[in-house]
Amino acid sequence: MEYYPGSVKNLIRHLARLPGIGQKTAERLAMHILQQPAEEANQLARSIVDMKKRLRLCSRCFALSDDALCRICNDPAREQKVLCVVEQPADMASIEKSGAFRGRYHILGGVISPMDGIGPDDLKIAELLERIEQEAIEEIILATGTNVEGESTAAYIAGVLAARPVKVTRIAS
């Protein structure tokens, strides 16, 4: 990489830090950006800065949003009494891409993982319980991962909800 000027090396170094991007791919991306008109590169840079400035978590479901409430929480056509509980915003996006679910979501922000020091209090479980009460939720669909942490998180939530008048189901795996 010593054959590139410092500015190109710096861009390659930063691109290579992205998940799934190795040194060769970072180099290809840098060369692609270099070959684009300056305005294209500026638009890319502005979109990154704009995203970092504007992005926040939805105050209701904790999805990624540019506003206080995400588009799903703001959509009156969505089923209001059904919540799909997922680990991360990317999990919600995957379900949305399928087009099969028309309810709303609750994003936990992770899974219970004692090995990593993450317990129930580190997740958005208290907020889930609050939503069930405030929004008169009738059904919770647990859509956490099928790994040990995802299963134990689903079991924990199901246990907490057992005494509440809400139907709890687990998404098929």
Side-chain angles (χ1 to χ4, degrees):
M1 209 167 70
E2 52 281 339
Y3 34 87
Y4 290 122
S7 59
V8 175
K9 285 186 214 177
N10 191 38
L11 177 59
I12 292 170
R13 223 180 352 266
H14 281 91
L15 291 170
R17 291 181 188 161
L18 296 171
I21 305 293
Q23 191 68 28
K24 285 183 181 182
T25 301
E27 191 173 338
R28 278 195 300 277
L29 289 170
M31 291 301 107
H32 175 78
I33 292 168
L34 182 63
Q35 293 170 0
Q36 296 303 303
E39 186 51 33
E40 288 285 323
N42 287 333
Q43 286 175 0
L44 174 62
R46 278 193 303 270
S47 68
I48 292 169
V49 170
D50 184 53
M51 177 196 66
K52 292 298 286 182
K53 232 188 273 182
R54 296 183 61 198
L55 197 66
R56 64 179 86 173
L57 295 180
C58 173
S59 61
R60 184 179 294 154
C61 74
F62 307 102
L64 299 175
S65 180
D66 287 334
D67 301 307
L69 289 178
C70 70
R71 65 172 184 76
I72 293 173
C73 285
N74 264 329
D75 184 352
R78 300 297 289 228
E79 174 58 50
Q80 302 293 307
K81 303 295 180 187
V82 180
L83 286 183
C84 182
V85 177
V86 297
E87 297 173 17
Q88 299 291 347
D91 302 316
M92 182 195 82
S94 295
I95 294 171
E96 279 298 292
K97 285 176 193 171
S98 77
F101 181 67
R102 295 298 305 153
R104 293 183 299 147
Y105 295 89
H106 186 84
I107 299 169
L108 296 171
V111 288
I112 297 170
S113 178
M115 296 285 284
D116 297 319
I118 301 170
D121 293 341
D122 299 312
L123 305 178
K124 303 289 187 199
I125 296 173
E127 292 85 346
L128 173 63
L129 299 176
E130 204 174 291
R131 283 186 75 188
I132 291 168
E133 291 291 318
Q134 291 177 349
E135 300 171 30
I137 301 299
E138 296 171 359
E139 182 178 2
I140 298 290
I141 301 167
L142 298 172
T144 54
T146 57
N147 58 10
V148 173
E149 292 87 358
E151 291 290 350
S152 65
T153 302
Y156 177 84
I157 293 171
V160 169
L161 297 177
R164 296 177 184 257
V166 63
K167 179 181 176 186
V168 179
T169 56
R170 180 83 165 112
I171 198 166
S173 54

